[in-house]
Amino acid sequence: MSEKDKSFEDLMEELETLVAKLEGQDLKLDDAIKQNERALKLIHLCRDRLDSARQKIDKLVRTAEGGFEKQALD
Amino acid sequence: MAQAPELNSTFSVSQITGHIQHTLEKGFSSVWVKGEISNLTRHSSGHWYFSLKDSGAQLGSVMFRHQNESVRFEPAHGMEVTAHGKISVYPPQGRYQLIVDQMLPAGQGDLHLAFENLKKKLMAEGLFDPSLKKKLPAYPSHIGIITSPTGAAIRDMINILSRRWPLARLILLPVKVQGEGAAVEIARAIEILNSLNECQVLLVGRGGGSLEDLWAFNEEVVARAITQSQIPIVSAVGHETDITIADFVADQRAPTPSAAAELVVPDQLELIRWFSQVEQSLQSNMRRKMERHEQRLHAIAASYALKRPELMIAQYVQKLDQMEDKALRATQDKISKAAARLDNLFVSVEAINPLHVLEKGYAVISGAKGVVIRSIDEVSDGVELHMRLKDGEIISIARDVKKRKLK
């Protein structure tokens, strides 16, 4: 799955796991460097998402057939 | 006192009254009674005395001061009310009466009763069980909102959600929230959003209003729909003090629609602050780690194992020096010992130098041929003797040679 397809929740979960791991002491240096880089990248990704977020609002409207369809609302 | 009366026994008045008291007080210890107030007396003590009546009967009632203080309306003669309390028998007068602890205007009383009954029923079914509560998503990407399309509630929710978490897509499902058919519409909306299967959490609610206005959220159909929802639901009905059945069955109750919006999403500002903190702590953490490793590297570089070749050479050099010293010392010893011996020898040789003896006045006697004479046996009368003294020589002739022991 590419980073773009990952939900914010997925990214946050990965970040939180990494942070917990990095705060522990028993990582090998190589791993620590790698995971540290990854954590910083995740923060960057999450920040970007928040920066570019604009709330989208849909309204469900009843159709003539009795079903529902989404209408964008701004 | 609670013995069953025997068929043919005769009771005293107190006995039969005791039995009646026991039966009534036990059988009607918590009852709701609907009727019209009559003969209301507000006693100076603060207690209220009145009757509840309908077309066929009346019931003497009392509501003591500490209970009637919480009544939120003005009871008056002729008013229809619903009262809750217990039946109590007063033996001295052979009267029974209702001791009222709660009183509501009749319409509200009906709703209240319905509320209590449904609550009891659903609780008995286990629908309020905390273990049924679904966890809310931490970072929802799709949030469903079921409420009235008009009014403050929807506006407040959208405002708060946009400010705190613009990442989420909001899906509004406008419904009627009060009046005829509202409950069914709300329940249906919950089903629709479940079948749409996009939202990770649903907000169901409305702004404040009277008990009647909020009633849809106390109806069983709504409670059932909430219970059956696969998506976690936050109930957000009215104000802080309004509690509805929907609140009991929802996965989480929010005191108001605004509060629901607050608790359903994280605050992006807090999150951004957290990111900065984490970034800093990660960096300082990494720095510390690197420093630790560097120190370790230094320690290893300075360790005995890595220094050994150098150390071994130093050791050899030292050993060589020591050996050199030793060798030098040994030679010098030998030389000085030899010198000492030479000195000794010289002394001994000196000691036996015959010239030294001559110094002391002795003489060396030798024959004519120069052979030293050591014994009288080698001498006879007439033999030539050479006597050497310290500073000269006498040649003489031996006479009168006698052998004797010199002592």
Side-chain angles (χ1 to χ4, degrees):
Chain A
M1 200 197 287
S2 91
E3 309 282 27
K4 263 200 188 148
D5 299 328
K6 282 187 183 166
S7 71
F8 196 88
E9 185 144 20
D10 288 340
L11 297 177
M12 282 300 290
E13 233 169 64
E14 192 186 343
L15 176 59
E16 279 161 345
T17 314
L18 276 183
V19 169
K21 246 197 230 168
L22 282 164
E23 275 168 356
Q25 292 295 326
D26 40 355
L27 269 186
K28 286 193 188 134
L29 187 60
D30 276 358
D31 295 339
I33 292 171
K34 253 183 248 155
Q35 301 198 4
N36 192 63
E37 251 169 43
R38 176 68 184 151
L40 293 175
K41 186 174 176 210
L42 283 168
I43 289 177
H44 188 74
L45 281 172
C46 289
R47 269 214 191 101
D48 273 0
R49 292 252 181 126
L50 285 175
D51 282 347
S52 60
R54 230 188 102 251
Q55 195 126 44
K56 295 196 183 80
I57 304 177
D58 293 325
K59 188 170 160 185
L60 281 186
V61 197
R62 205 180 287 275
T63 60
E65 296 82 44
F68 277 88
E69 69 179 16
K70 273 198 266 183
Q71 256 177 25
L73 198 86
D74 281 295
Chain B
M1 179 165 99
Q3 290 159 331
E6 287 170 35
L7 266 180
N8 292 320
S9 60
T10 307
F11 297 103
S12 70
V13 176
S14 290
Q15 279 173 335
I16 188 83
T17 306
H19 283 305
I20 289 168
Q21 180 175 30
H22 178 74
T23 308
L24 288 186
E25 289 182 357
K26 194 177 167 205
F28 301 98
S29 61
S30 171
V31 289
W32 285 96
V33 181
K34 194 162 119 182
E36 184 191 315
I37 292 179
S38 72
N39 301 323
L40 173 67
T41 312
R42 289 188 169 88
H43 197 269
S44 57
S45 61
H47 308 322
W48 295 348
Y49 298 94
F50 54 96
S51 293
L52 290 175
K53 68 169 197 181
D54 58 17
S55 55
Q58 61 176 314
L59 173 63
S61 305
V62 56
M63 191 167 196
F64 294 116
R65 195 183 60 192
H66 68 278
Q67 302 285 10
N68 69 37
E69 275 167 352
S70 62
V71 172
R72 293 275 158 263
F73 64 99
E74 237 3 80
H77 184 80
M79 187 182 266
E80 280 283 330
V81 296
T82 310
H84 177 268
K86 61 184 180 190
I87 295 291
S88 158
V89 172
Y90 185 55
Q93 290 183 3
R95 284 182 48 195
Y96 64 93
Q97 58 184 354
L98 182 69
I99 313 280
V100 179
D101 54 30
Q102 260 189 82
M103 191 157 64
L104 298 162
Q108 257 188 51
D110 287 346
L111 293 180
H112 194 82
L113 256 176
F115 177 92
E116 289 297 334
N117 287 339
L118 181 59
K119 186 178 155 192
K120 223 180 275 174
K121 177 176 155 188
L122 298 182
M123 192 186 297
E125 285 183 37
L127 298 193
F128 303 164
D129 192 333
S131 70
L132 291 180
K133 308 283 181 204
K134 290 182 274 296
K135 218 174 142 246
L136 305 187
Y139 310 97
S141 61
H142 291 78
I143 301 169
I145 300 177
I146 297 171
T147 191
S148 162
T150 58
I154 181 93
R155 254 197 341 266
D156 291 349
M157 286 196 274
I158 291 177
N159 280 344
I160 290 168
L161 291 171
S162 311
R163 175 165 51 76
R164 285 173 64 95
W165 201 242
L167 236 57
R169 195 179 189 113
L170 307 183
I171 296 161
L172 311 182
L173 189 28
V175 291
K176 205 169 141 186
V177 290
Q178 69 187 71
E180 195 61 35
V184 173
E185 222 173 276
I186 294 165
R188 179 88 186 101
I190 293 171
E191 284 161 21
I192 290 164
L193 284 181
N194 265 279
S195 61
L196 191 69
N197 198 20
E198 206 170 30
C199 301
Q200 288 143 357
V201 60
L202 304 182
L203 299 178
V204 180
R206 55 155 292 153
S210 69
L211 183 63
E212 286 85 353
D213 289 342
L214 306 186
W215 194 250
F217 295 90
N218 283 323
E219 289 200 29
E220 188 166 354
V221 59
V222 172
R224 299 271 175 212
I226 291 176
T227 309
Q228 274 153 30
S229 172
Q230 299 300 309
I231 306 170
I233 290 182
V234 177
S235 67
V237 184
H239 299 300
E240 182 83 48
T241 50
D242 299 320
I243 309 264
T244 64
I245 296 288
D247 292 327
F248 289 111
V249 289
D251 297 293
Q252 182 139 7
R253 175 204 178 228
T256 62
S258 301
E262 301 247 347
L263 68 81
V264 87
V265 291
D267 182 357
Q268 58 166 341
L269 294 180
E270 265 171 44
L271 202 63
I272 287 167
R273 262 197 297 279
W274 185 75
F275 286 150
S276 307
Q277 278 172 15
V278 168
E279 232 167 14
Q280 274 176 16
S281 90
L282 282 180
Q283 271 157 359
S284 67
N285 214 330
M286 211 55 220
R287 230 187 347 262
R288 271 203 308 279
K289 224 171 220 147
M290 295 298 259
E291 277 166 12
R292 251 201 325 278
H293 276 84
E294 226 164 89
Q295 279 168 5
R296 254 179 80 192
L297 211 59
H298 274 303
I300 291 168
S303 80
Y304 179 74
L306 282 183
K307 277 218 156 162
R308 224 163 53 178
E310 224 174 284
L311 216 68
M312 274 160 71
I313 291 169
Q315 277 178 351
Y316 281 129
V317 168
Q318 213 175 351
K319 215 168 180 179
L320 276 173
D321 284 352
Q322 283 171 355
M323 274 156 62
E324 196 184 4
D325 284 355
K326 244 184 191 166
L328 218 66
R329 233 174 314 160
T331 319
Q332 270 170 355
D333 265 13
K334 261 183 195 141
I335 291 169
S336 51
K337 265 185 199 148
R341 249 175 81 200
L342 216 55
D343 283 350
N344 288 343
L345 275 172
F346 181 73
V347 171
S348 325
V349 167
E350 274 295 281
I352 57 168
N353 188 343
L355 296 176
H356 287 296
V357 182
L358 298 186
E359 286 285 343
K360 291 177 184 160
Y362 295 97
V364 179
I365 301 169
S366 53
K369 292 175 184 159
V371 179
V372 174
I373 294 167
R374 293 170 196 271
S375 168
I376 201 74
D377 295 338
E378 296 164 31
V379 184
S380 53
D381 289 350
V383 168
E384 193 181 291
L385 299 172
H386 294 235
M387 286 179 283
R388 243 170 79 199
L389 298 172
K390 159 177 109 164
D391 47 0
E393 199 176 29
I394 304 164
I395 299 172
S396 57
I397 302 294
R399 86 173 178 200
D400 202 10
V401 177
K402 284 183 205 131
K403 184 170 178 168
R404 86 181 133 106
K405 279 249 165 85
L406 265 180
K407 174 59 201 163

